Amino acid sequence: MTPTTPVGLHRALDAIWRAPRGIAALSAVNHSVVGRRFIITAFIYFAIGGVLAMLIRAQLARPENPFLGADAYNQIFTMHGTVMMFLFAIPLIEGVALYLLPKILGARDLAYPRLSAFGYWCYLFGGTIILVAMVMGVAPDSGWFMYTPLASSTYTPGINADVWLLGITFVEISAVCAAVEIVVTVLKVRTAGMALSRMPLMAWYLLVTAAMMLIAFPPLILGSVLLEMERAFNWPFFDPERGGAPLLWQHLFWLFGHPEVYIIFLPAAGAVSTLIPVFARTRIVGYAWIVAAIIALAFLSFGLWVHHMFATGIPHLSLAFFSAASMLVAVPTAVQVFAWIATLMRGRPQMSLPMLYLMGFFSVFILGGLTGVMLALVPFNWQAHDTHFVVAHLHYVLIGGFVFPMLAATYYWLPLMTGRLPVFSVSKAAFWLIFLGFHGTFLIMHFTGLMGMPRRIFTYESGLGWDLPNLISSIGGFVMAAGFALFVIDIVLQTRFGRRFRRNPWGGTGLDWAMPTPAPSYNFASLPLVTGRDPLEDNVRLGADIAAGKGYLAGAPRGEMETLCVDMATGEPEHVLLLPKNDYTPFWMAAGLAVFFTAFLLSAYWVAPLGLVIATAFGWRWLWSLGAKSDPALIDAGQGLRLPVHFAVPSVPTLLGLKYFLAANAAFYGSLLFGFLFLWTTAAGWPPQFLNASPVLIAGIAISLAAAAIFATLARRSNSREANGARMIWLAGSLAASLAGLGLLMGLAIMDAPPPDTHAYAAITMAIIGYVILHTLLGVMFAAYTLARCRAGFVSSLRSTDMRGTAIWQLYTAITGIGGLALIILAPGGLA
Amino acid sequence: MTGQSRRVRGTDLVWLVAGFTVWAAGFSAVYGLHAVGCRAGWEEAGFAGLSANRIVLLAAYLGHSALGAALYFPLVRIAARWEGLSARTIRQTAIMVTLAAVISTLWTGAPVLFLETCR
Ligand code: HEM
Ligand SMILES: [Cu+2]
């Protein structure tokens, strides 16, 4: 008997969705659990970064302070910046996104729960590596942007820089995973009727942010990989003595670094756009305008990176492009600010705790924007460059534009997690301490900077007029720290002793408030049909209806974890996504990577591949667990709707995810090719020696890669025609072609290419060849995998994911491989 | 609108990014060609008082601006036929973004009209 009462539904669902306890918690993949882990870990890193900030302020409080030496100071400010940006801000956003998205989209989980679990472990392990290094006193010390040559082995011989490069790369894997997860979830995993135009704005913001992450993180990962190769194996990408260019690092870093500022800002702005209409008791003004503005902002933010390099002697004309773009980016930001103000004016704003923090955001962020426009003016930038003015500006933007809105969001959504409301007076006191302390610290720092105090100096002499402002900044810093401590206490108090409430304490209109609180493990007992942008306003009884099973996929009659996938634009239900049960695979796969990174860090280069083997083995197992051995029947989704299962339709989310992953991968490769062109145009005497590739070899490689792609496509076609003999033959052909290509590429690398440690040309050429080799090797594995899957009966004309995925991979490899080789041989000296 | 109207699809979403993709291509082209031109000595060659470098940059600038502006016409034509949920919002947004992208292309590349190239 399937239960039909709300309590019965709850029991049935909770039985299969409940988070595992004890050691089995390592296998948890549910979005609420993983999201919460991200958020809590991020706040722990925030506390660590805050303690480091206090050490900085303690040191700078007095002139010629003997408290910290130069060495310790360098490590501390580097770690402060690194922890705050990479281990606090980005993961907090990921955590909020992973936790909230299904709840606001009307889904039971994300598109790939295991992927975000994997991302969490990468984050935790990578962050731990960095933290352990700090405790052992070998933390990175070259500044959070790790400029070369300062970060090269000549100037930073210890492992400090390697800790940064490897640790951050490990953490960034989780960012790329989260980005793929978010994009696919927003586009596909929503409830019925949730058309794009009915999505909460927060979902749009997170979609755009995640898309930016896909393009922005790869250049940083590439830069880190190249610099690590230089440090570990002496490949001179950045060494000017051997044809490299230190500026290449700056380009790669800021290609990531500026968009990063907006990646942090956009979700925070999303929270603002969510909260303002709720507390103004109205709807947001200019929905379509805001969507247009954030899309524009996402693109424009990629046209700004050189403004961090205004002082590096780049030609005026180039500077002018970037200066123009830097001013332009203010426009979409202004559009959002006007929409917020208009919304406030249209409604009847009510003061409440989250609103208080939003007021803090407004007042701080606008000042930060003004100083930002000042810095975008090239002549002023030359003046203020590398002074405490920049430090002040950066904190106005980051704390104003990110921390304040996130605190508001915390207070807004915490009751959803805990089912309790805050104890108000403590929260208010915390706000005022943070707010006043913040201005006390950073307002005056603008003047300290204008008086010429450089950033990143561990001490200063008395008598330059810097003594008093620094003391005030330090006192302000400690007041702010007290405020944050109070905030933490308040959260703990609220969680333990807060006032209980029944649903929807703030009067929100989104689906997140249509569930019981604290949010149940499965989110929705049945998935509602959404009829507008404010589902709770359209139907005040929606919560009760959902709990009573008056929606789609009510309960768990099949014992499966199910949610809907919809048409991207219209939100019409397309198929049922069956979600994975708890699984240790993500944990072990991340553990394999941890072995790899740690071994590399300790220069145990022969152990490192072992870690990769472990990770690959678990990756294989993961893929193998997808799909089924027979064609599934249609599922009765309720309300008279019968839908196919996700792995039996062509629009399966897995392939969409693969495509977005390849987009990130292409950004990585594109940055590598950019590096080749950059070195060619800037370095002197290029190229010094020639690749002299034999044309026959190059042609052989190109033909093999193309053949592998064509055969894989033919295999896919045979499969959809149910020509099962032919599909095996084509697949085997694709496998053989990839193997041949692999052999020839190895030949090129060993016989023709000059030794990579001799010159930057040789190094970057080898890096490109290495990229192609890696992808061809993976092509071999994908073809072999799909052959095995066919033999084991996982593949049919309906269940074609493996076939399609392999064809996409081989095509990508062929295009990038042939493109990269073409660049190499067309550049001077490429061909014999 | 007419008998030709059809439901808006996922693939139609490319219109939300098409305009700014042209902007990005134009931005990269102008920036990249400028670097290559100064390196390869295009400054010396040229005719009619314009250096080859300037001519190439102007061509890239005006070309991408024109391309971005040209996107507008098929967009309005195609978007007019969209119907169903989201059609109106996606149409409005796509048109706004496409126009914003043209303006951005004109604005960010404008320095090639008057600044010296390789200093
Ligand atoms: C809790 C209050 C905070 C205080 C008192 C504080 C203080 C400081 C100070 C004094 C510096 C300059 C060090 C120097 O150049 O000598 C600094 C640098 C920096 N801070 Fe903060 N900070 C705080 C919070 C944050 C937050 C929340 C973020 C980011 C989300 C952040 C990101 C950075 C970055 C990226 C740098 C540059 C590090 C470098 O130069 O490599 N800070 N901070
Ligand atoms: Cu910037």
Side-chain angles (χ1 to χ4, degrees):
Chain A
M1 251 296 292
T2 41
T4 45
T5 63
V7 178
L9 286 175
H10 170 77
R11 290 228 180 92
L13 279 161
D14 199 48
I16 55 172
W17 284 87
R18 197 173 15 214
R21 294 189 173 278
I23 187 78
L26 296 182
S27 69
V29 298
N30 177 263
H31 82 101
S32 297
V33 177
V34 173
R36 213 155 40 215
R37 283 180 184 165
F38 260 105
I39 294 172
I40 293 173
T41 314
F43 271 116
I44 291 173
Y45 277 112
F46 181 54
I48 295 171
V51 169
L52 293 168
M54 292 308 98
L55 292 177
I56 295 177
R57 280 321 324 169
Q59 167 66 19
L60 295 181
R62 294 192 293 130
E64 290 166 69
N65 194 344
F67 173 51
L68 297 172
D71 217 35
Y73 189 82
N74 288 348
Q75 290 195 21
I76 286 175
F77 78 71
T78 301
M79 280 302 286
H80 165 70
T82 304
V83 167
M84 286 297 193
M85 299 301 264
F86 295 105
L87 303 181
F88 162 59
I90 297 285
L92 179 62
I93 285 165
E94 291 161 17
V96 169
L98 301 180
Y99 182 82
L100 275 184
L101 270 179
K103 296 184 166 63
I104 61 177
L105 295 174
R108 290 197 177 124
D109 209 328
L110 299 155
Y112 320 108
R114 285 184 286 190
L115 187 65
S116 41
F118 170 68
Y120 176 74
W121 298 119
C122 290
Y123 163 46
L124 186 70
F125 296 158
T128 307
I129 290 179
I130 297 177
L131 212 60
V132 169
M134 182 170 75
V135 173
M136 288 169 38
V138 289
D141 53 3
S142 327
W144 84 284
F145 34 71
M146 295 287 293
Y147 276 179
T148 53
L150 190 55
S152 309
S153 44
T154 333
Y155 299 95
T156 308
I159 69 164
N160 308 48
D162 305 301
V163 168
W164 194 99
L165 295 168
L166 294 166
I168 294 300
T169 300
F170 199 2
V171 172
E172 287 342 314
I173 293 176
S174 81
V176 173
C177 293
V180 172
E181 178 87 273
I182 292 168
V183 172
V184 177
T185 300
V186 175
L187 288 178
K188 293 299 293 183
V189 189
R190 311 195 296 255
T191 190
M194 174 83 72
L196 272 188
S197 59
R198 289 176 180 167
M199 282 202 313
L201 272 174
M202 187 68 174
W204 276 105
Y205 275 99
L206 291 174
L207 173 65
V208 172
T209 308
M212 288 178 71
M213 287 166 74
L214 285 182
I215 309 298
F217 278 100
L220 174 70
I221 298 178
L222 173 75
S224 307
V225 170
L226 296 188
L227 185 50
E228 187 52 35
M229 297 287 272
E230 171 166 325
R231 295 177 53 88
F233 305 128
N234 200 15
W235 292 24
F237 299 102
F238 307 102
D239 176 7
E241 305 268 289
R242 284 176 287 164
L247 262 189
L248 176 60
W249 169 266
Q250 293 201 25
H251 275 290
L252 292 175
F253 186 87
W254 289 116
L255 206 49
F256 146 82
H258 194 89
E260 143 102 349
V261 175
Y262 289 87
I263 289 171
I264 292 177
F265 167 64
L266 276 181
V272 177
S273 294
T274 309
L275 268 57
I276 283 188
V278 171
F279 291 105
R281 302 273 166 251
T282 182
R283 296 181 178 193
I284 190 88
V285 173
Y287 181 96
W289 281 86
I290 293 184
V291 174
I294 56 184
I295 293 173
L297 194 62
F299 276 94
L300 290 174
S301 69
F302 282 90
L304 309 183
W305 81 93
V306 171
H307 75 196
H308 294 272
M309 302 157 63
F310 277 164
T312 54
I314 287 172
H316 289 180
L317 184 56
S318 292
L319 294 189
F321 299 142
F322 288 96
S323 199
S326 303
M327 284 180 227
L328 197 58
V329 81
V331 177
T333 312
V335 168
Q336 293 175 73
V337 173
F338 285 128
W340 295 331
I341 293 173
T343 308
L344 284 172
M345 284 173 35
R346 180 164 93 175
R348 286 167 288 113
Q350 289 173 344
M351 213 47 204
S352 67
L353 192 54
M355 269 308 252
L356 188 62
Y357 280 87
L358 283 190
M359 292 296 124
F361 150 75
F362 266 112
S363 58
V364 174
F365 183 68
I366 289 178
L367 258 167
L370 288 180
T371 50
V373 174
M374 286 167 77
L375 283 173
L377 303 172
V378 176
F380 181 82
N381 185 289
W382 285 334
Q383 285 292 313
H385 184 76
D386 268 347
T387 69
H388 267 73
F389 187 91
V390 175
V391 178
H393 157 69
L394 153 123
H395 287 84
Y396 264 80
V397 176
L398 289 172
I399 297 186
F402 175 69
V403 176
F404 274 108
M406 286 327 254
L407 294 181
T410 308
Y411 275 120
Y412 180 74
W413 274 298
L414 194 64
L416 188 62
M417 279 193 203
T418 60
R420 290 168 187 269
L421 281 171
V423 192
F424 276 94
S425 43
V426 187
S427 329
K428 275 192 193 150
F431 170 79
W432 287 110
L433 284 179
I434 295 173
F435 185 76
L436 295 175
F438 171 79
H439 285 291
T441 316
F442 292 109
L443 191 59
I444 196 160
M445 203 184 277
H446 288 106
F447 302 104
T448 327
L450 290 178
M451 283 191 284
M453 176 162 167
R455 65 194 284 198
R456 299 180 169 176
I457 50 166
F458 78 104
T459 193
Y460 51 92
E461 286 175 14
S462 187
L464 294 165
W466 303 347
D467 303 14
L468 185 64
N470 267 303
L471 183 63
I472 297 177
S473 279
S474 294
I475 295 172
F478 283 94
V479 172
M480 182 169 27
F484 281 117
L486 212 53
F487 167 78
V488 174
I489 294 173
D490 186 35
I491 298 293
V492 175
L493 283 178
Q494 176 181 339
T495 313
R496 307 267 337 238
F497 308 110
R499 185 158 54 81
R500 285 183 184 280
F501 62 96
R502 283 185 60 75
R503 294 166 185 253
N504 203 356
W506 311 114
T509 58
L511 289 176
D512 38 344
W513 297 107
M515 59 180 78
T517 45
S521 51
Y522 49 85
N523 289 346
F524 302 98
S526 64
L527 305 185
L529 175 67
V530 168
T531 53
R533 259 178 219 161
D534 303 278
L536 267 187
E537 218 168 70
D538 300 344
N539 173 7
V540 277
R541 290 193 32 82
L542 189 62
D545 287 354
I546 290 173
K550 296 184 188 159
Y552 299 96
L553 296 175
R558 289 160 289 271
E560 295 274 7
M561 302 162 83
E562 301 163 336
T563 197
L564 285 175
C565 278
V566 298
D567 177 77
M568 279 187 204
T570 62
E572 191 155 315
E574 265 183 356
H575 54 262
V576 174
L577 178 60
L578 299 186
L579 294 157
K581 305 250 153 56
N582 291 321
D583 189 350
Y584 289 97
T585 311
F587 176 82
W588 288 115
M589 192 164 153
L593 289 185
V595 170
F596 170 76
F597 281 107
T598 316
F600 215 94
L601 186 60
L602 303 175
S603 305
Y605 298 125
W606 46 271
V607 187
L610 182 70
L612 283 189
V613 171
I614 298 176
T616 313
F618 279 98
W620 181 288
R621 195 177 111 166
W622 183 336
L623 287 181
W624 197 266
S625 71
L626 302 171
K629 287 195 184 182
S630 59
D631 290 343
L634 294 185
I635 287 184
D636 176 8
Q639 316 295 315
L641 195 64
R642 295 174 65 77
L643 294 173
V645 173
H646 72 280
F647 54 77
V649 293
S651 60
V652 50
T654 318
L655 290 181
L656 201 59
L658 175 63
K659 287 180 191 156
Y660 290 115
F661 166 73
L662 288 180
N665 194 348
F668 180 89
Y669 192 52
S671 309
L672 182 59
L673 300 186
F674 165 79
F676 184 92
L677 290 171
F678 181 82
L679 290 176
W680 173 21
T681 52
T682 55
W686 236 64
Q689 79 274 60
F690 296 138
L691 173 65
N692 286 334
S694 88
V696 180
L697 198 55
I698 296 285
I701 295 171
I703 291 172
S704 315
L705 296 185
I710 293 170
F711 293 162
T713 309
L714 290 173
R716 196 205 74 206
R717 292 220 183 131
S718 311
N719 181 57
S720 48
R721 284 200 321 269
E722 307 196 350
N724 286 357
R727 82 177 179 188
M728 298 303 263
I729 293 174
W730 290 126
L731 264 184
S734 185
L735 177 65
S738 285
L739 273 174
L742 193 62
L744 294 174
L745 280 161
M746 299 295 246
L748 179 68
I750 294 166
M751 289 168 357
D752 284 353
D757 57 356
T758 50
H759 192 273
Y761 170 77
I764 198 142
T765 304
M766 191 60 100
I768 294 174
I769 297 174
Y771 179 92
V772 184
I773 289 182
L774 179 66
H775 283 72
T776 312
L777 179 65
L778 286 168
V780 169
M781 288 173 58
F782 272 123
Y785 166 82
T786 307
L787 269 174
R789 293 277 284 186
C790 286
R791 297 198 52 164
F794 280 102
V795 184
S796 76
S797 58
L798 274 182
R799 291 165 285 129
S800 58
T801 316
D802 298 321
M803 276 290 177
R804 290 169 189 274
T806 305
I808 294 173
W809 184 270
Q810 297 290 48
L811 186 64
Y812 177 86
T813 305
I815 293 173
T816 51
I818 294 172
L821 289 179
L823 180 69
I824 294 175
I825 60 172
L826 291 180
L831 220 47
Chain B
M1 298 189 100
T2 59
Q4 290 185 315
S5 49
R6 62 164 177 81
R7 285 235 322 244
V8 60
R9 288 190 288 256
T11 43
D12 294 324
L13 298 179
V14 294
W15 286 106
L16 293 178
V17 292
F20 269 103
T21 306
V22 173
W23 170 84
F27 192 82
S28 317
V30 173
Y31 174 64
L33 287 171
H34 173 228
V36 173
C38 291
R39 173 72 202 245
W42 298 349
E43 203 55 24
E44 274 70 65
F47 65 93
L50 288 175
S51 68
N53 209 355
R54 175 85 66 192
I55 295 173
V56 169
L57 290 179
L58 282 175
Y61 170 59
L62 297 175
H64 282 94
S65 305
L67 182 60
L71 280 181
Y72 180 77
F73 301 99
L75 169 61
V76 219
R77 202 162 38 75
I78 294 170
R81 289 195 230 126
W82 293 339
E83 59 168 28
L85 286 180
S86 291
R88 208 167 60 93
T89 308
I90 296 177
R91 176 163 49 232
Q92 272 179 3
T93 313
I95 290 177
M96 281 194 279
V97 175
T98 306
L99 290 178
V102 180
I103 299 173
S104 305
T105 312
L106 287 169
W107 170 262
T108 41
V112 303
L113 295 174
F114 49 86
L115 280 188
E116 278 181 72
T117 39
C118 299
R119 290 270 312 280

